[in-house]
Structures are given as C-alpha cells and as structure tokens.
Amino acid sequence: MMACGSRSNEMVDEFEKLVIRMNPPRVTVDNASDMTATLVKVDSANKYGTLLEVVQVLTDLKLTIKRAYISSDGEWFMDVFHVVDQDGNKLYDGQVIDRIEQSLGAGSLSFRGTDRCVGVEAEAEEAQTVIELVGRDRPGLLSEVFAVLTNLRCNIAASEVWTHDGRMAALVYVTDADTGGGIDDQDRLDRVKRLLRHVLRGSSRDKKSARAAISARASAAPHAQRRLHQMMRADDGNGEDGGGRSLPVVVEVEDCAERGYTLVNVRCRDRPKLLFDTVCTLTDMQYVVFHGTVIAEGSEAYQEFYIRHLDDGAAASDEDRERLRRGLEAAIQRRSTEVLNRSVGTMTKHSH
C-alpha cells in the first residue's frame, strides 16, 4: 500500500511538472499603465506555494508592493502587483526588471527568492553550515553565543536574529575557522549544539524553552525570513505576552460558507515586508489564497483574502479560525519589533 501511494504521489508530481512545462510562467513588467507604480503581472499554472514564491522574489528585491490583485481559482494563477522601489519610484533600472523576469518567467519551473542568508553572496553559501537557535531573550545573549562559536573555531559569516515578547530566534551561518569550509564533524556539531543550548537556557531550569539545532548547508536551507517565522510560530506559548512595542493590528477571520471560503481581513499600519509576512503565515499554516486584494498606498495597509485549507477546505471550526487569527497577528507584530542583523564583521540594528 505504501509503495502504491508513493507511486501515486510521484505520478501527481510528474503531471504537475508536465502542466508547468506546457504552460510556463509568463511575467510582464508594465511601466505604462499606471502613473505612480510599475505593474508586475504573473500568469502560470497554479500550484501550492506559488503566491508566496512570487511575493518572496519581489520582497527580496527590496520592492514595495502598493497594490495587489490575486486570483488562483482553478488551475491557473493570475496576479497583478503594483510595485515601487525603495525611494517610492517606478522601476526604471533594467537590471532589476531583468531579475524579475528571470526569477518569475519562463525557464524557472520553481520560483526562487534572491536571498537566502543576510549579507552573504550566493556562491559562498555552499561552504556554510546553518545553526538555528530559539530561547529566552536577555541582555548579552548574542555576545555569549558568538563567544562560544569563536572558541569552537567557528567563523561567523552572517546571522539574522528576531526578538519578540521576550523570545529570540536566530539563524547563524558558520564555517570552519581553519579551513573556511563547512563543518561536517558530527562530534563537533554535537558539542556546538550542547554548549549553545546551555547558553540559551542561562539560569532558567525550563529546558524546553531553549533549542539549538544544525539545520543544513546554507545553499539548501529554506528562505531565512520564512524559516524565522516558522521557528517563532513553533515557539508560541513560551513568550512573556507583552513586548509593549507591537503595532496595533486588526485581524478578522470569518466563515464564508456560502462561497466555500474563509474570509481574512487584515488592517494595520503599513510597513516593509508586510505582505510577505501574511502570505508566508497562510502558506505555512497550509492555507491556499484563491482571491485577494491588497491596498497599501497610505499609512495604513488593508489585505483581504479568500482562502481554503489545503486538506480540509474552509477553516470551518471556531478553533481553526482563532488559531489562524492569532498566527497572522503574531507574524505581523513580531516584525514590528527590532531586528538585529550581523553580517561579516558588521553589526547593525534596525526596525522593520
């Protein structure tokens, strides 16, 4: 039975690949239709996660999405994004336009984000090992983590650290300080994990509140910011409930049974990467966006999504809707706190 099920899944995967090959993604970058923004239109065969991959590419290129119209009902995915650069201008840089077309257009059977780890060139990723850390936030914690790694002859190539509600999640990209390559010695990696868990626990006796893991080589690791969302969502319930600096967020999740959907409305102050955070959460909680409207042209952002769960259709129960509401609210608020980035010998602190 298992072998039969495996063959069935393989047949489905091959069919999806065939559909994509027969209907390759089409991307159009339009600078004529809107006076204030560039329109990026993406049409492709629909598959789970397509919306997140497109938003991820635009976000990694540091573009601001002012409006978006999403439709993926049926076998086809059709989206229109109104985007501007970091200065609020339309896109006239030919290199940026080429990157959009190459990342989202024909020839890319699976969309790829442009950045995996902070501040590191793609060609250096193969040699890096990724360490995942989750624990209680406290003053001096990051310095202690870096000191342990330095003492263990680990060179810190880059890291990204998020903190929210008294909790910390971090991705640290390291190489062997002597060879410059990845760290493959399992005994050494086990020692790294053991000592880092000790540092993360500090004086706390709650061993479950700290976690250190060796994820993968950077070239094979998930998108960094998506992974940080996943780590912090998995850690929900360990926080101190009240960081005090979170932005006011209104998230409404309603049953729309007559249309076979769950309706999600999000209203909050606009900020960079807001759409990535909400779509990332919906995707990782296994919801599919069938229709959506995003408006973020002033100080406030409005997002409306008609969704269904990947397995069970609409989120039918009150418990499911409340879990989804809390997940979206947390994803929006955690980016609103300060994020710490360390990249190859430099330390910068900035707010998202």
Side-chain angles (χ1 to χ4, degrees):
M1 293 295 290
M2 290 295 292
C4 180
S6 177
R7 286 196 297 271
S8 177
N9 290 335
E10 290 177 3
M11 290 176 63
V12 170
D13 291 341
E14 289 303 316
F15 176 75
E16 289 180 349
K17 292 177 183 178
L18 176 63
V19 170
I20 292 174
R21 284 194 294 268
M22 294 176 63
N23 302 278
R26 297 193 300 269
V27 58
T28 303
V29 179
D30 176 6
N31 260 326
S33 299
D34 191 298
M35 294 292 293
T36 60
T38 298
L39 273 59
V40 178
K41 305 175 184 179
V42 182
D43 298 338
S44 78
N46 191 25
K47 66 181 181 65
Y48 176 60
T50 296
L51 175 60
L52 174 59
E53 292 171 342
V54 174
V55 172
Q56 179 177 301
V57 167
L58 297 176
T59 301
D60 285 346
L61 287 170
K62 297 180 173 58
L63 303 179
T64 298
I65 300 171
K66 307 300 290 182
R67 284 179 176 261
Y69 302 97
I70 300 160
S71 178
S72 60
D73 215 344
E75 299 298 322
W76 200 252
F77 171 91
M78 296 178 287
D79 282 8
V80 179
F81 299 90
H82 296 235
V83 303
V84 294
D85 63 18
Q86 289 181 291
D87 297 320
N89 300 319
K90 297 169 68 170
L91 308 185
Y92 294 111
D93 186 330
Q95 290 185 334
V96 173
I97 293 174
D98 288 345
R99 290 284 294 277
I100 293 172
E101 293 174 340
Q102 291 168 7
S103 299
L104 300 180
S108 177
L109 295 181
S110 177
F111 302 132
R112 292 179 179 270
T114 58
D115 295 331
R116 282 196 179 272
C117 61
V118 179
V120 178
E121 296 298 328
E123 56 267 24
E125 292 180 353
E126 185 62 35
Q128 296 168 2
T129 300
V130 186
I131 301 173
E132 297 183 351
L133 304 173
V134 177
R136 190 186 308 278
D137 188 30
R138 56 182 170 80
L141 175 60
L142 197 60
S143 295
E144 293 178 27
V145 167
F146 289 166
V148 167
L149 291 172
T150 300
N151 288 336
L152 292 172
R153 304 296 296 161
C154 297
N155 177 59
I156 302 163
S159 68
E160 184 161 350
V161 182
W162 285 10
T163 62
H164 182 63
D165 279 352
R167 302 293 294 172
M168 178 276 293
L171 295 174
V172 185
Y173 299 80
V174 301
T175 58
D176 188 299
D178 298 319
T179 68
I183 303 173
D184 298 315
D185 185 337
Q186 191 57 52
D187 290 338
R188 184 180 178 190
L189 293 175
D190 288 342
R191 187 181 180 202
V192 168
K193 289 189 290 185
R194 184 173 66 254
L195 292 178
L196 288 178
R197 279 197 294 265
H198 179 74
V199 169
L200 290 169
R201 290 169 189 158
S203 60
S204 172
R205 295 183 179 180
D206 182 8
K207 296 183 179 181
K208 293 183 179 179
S209 68
R211 186 177 74 87
I214 308 298
S215 173
R217 289 294 171 89
S219 58
H223 184 271
Q225 296 184 16
R226 181 178 183 183
R227 183 60 188 147
L228 286 165
H229 271 304
Q230 294 170 340
M231 291 161 64
M232 296 207 83
R233 186 170 60 254
D235 188 59
D236 279 352
N238 287 317
E240 297 173 1
D241 193 20
R245 294 180 295 178
S246 298
L247 294 176
V249 178
V250 177
V251 179
E252 299 172 341
V253 182
E254 303 175 5
D255 187 15
C256 195
E258 69 277 7
R259 299 180 62 180
Y261 298 113
T262 293
L263 173 61
V264 175
N265 282 301
V266 176
R267 295 191 304 278
C268 65
R269 194 176 77 193
D270 190 28
R271 59 161 176 78
K273 303 183 181 180
L274 177 62
L275 182 58
F276 172 83
D277 293 338
T278 54
V279 172
C280 179
T281 301
L282 290 169
T283 303
D284 284 337
M285 294 184 76
Q286 296 193 307
Y287 286 95
V288 179
V289 177
F290 285 84
H291 302 283
T293 301
V294 175
I295 301 174
E297 293 183 329
S299 60
E300 186 174 72
Y302 170 78
Q303 299 179 5
E304 177 185 79
F305 304 109
Y306 287 89
I307 66 172
R308 291 177 186 153
H309 195 272
L310 189 62
D311 297 324
D312 303 321
S317 73
D318 291 341
E319 182 180 350
D320 288 338
R321 288 192 291 273
E322 177 60 18
R323 185 183 303 112
L324 177 57
R325 187 195 67 77
R326 290 198 309 267
L328 287 167
E329 186 177 89
I332 294 168
Q333 290 180 336
R334 72 173 63 106
R335 176 93 71 169
S336 303
T337 58
E338 290 183 328
V339 176
L340 187 63
N341 287 336
R342 183 186 187 278
S343 177
V344 196
T346 63
M347 186 85 73
T348 57
K349 196 170 186 177
H350 56 90
S351 176
H352 286 266

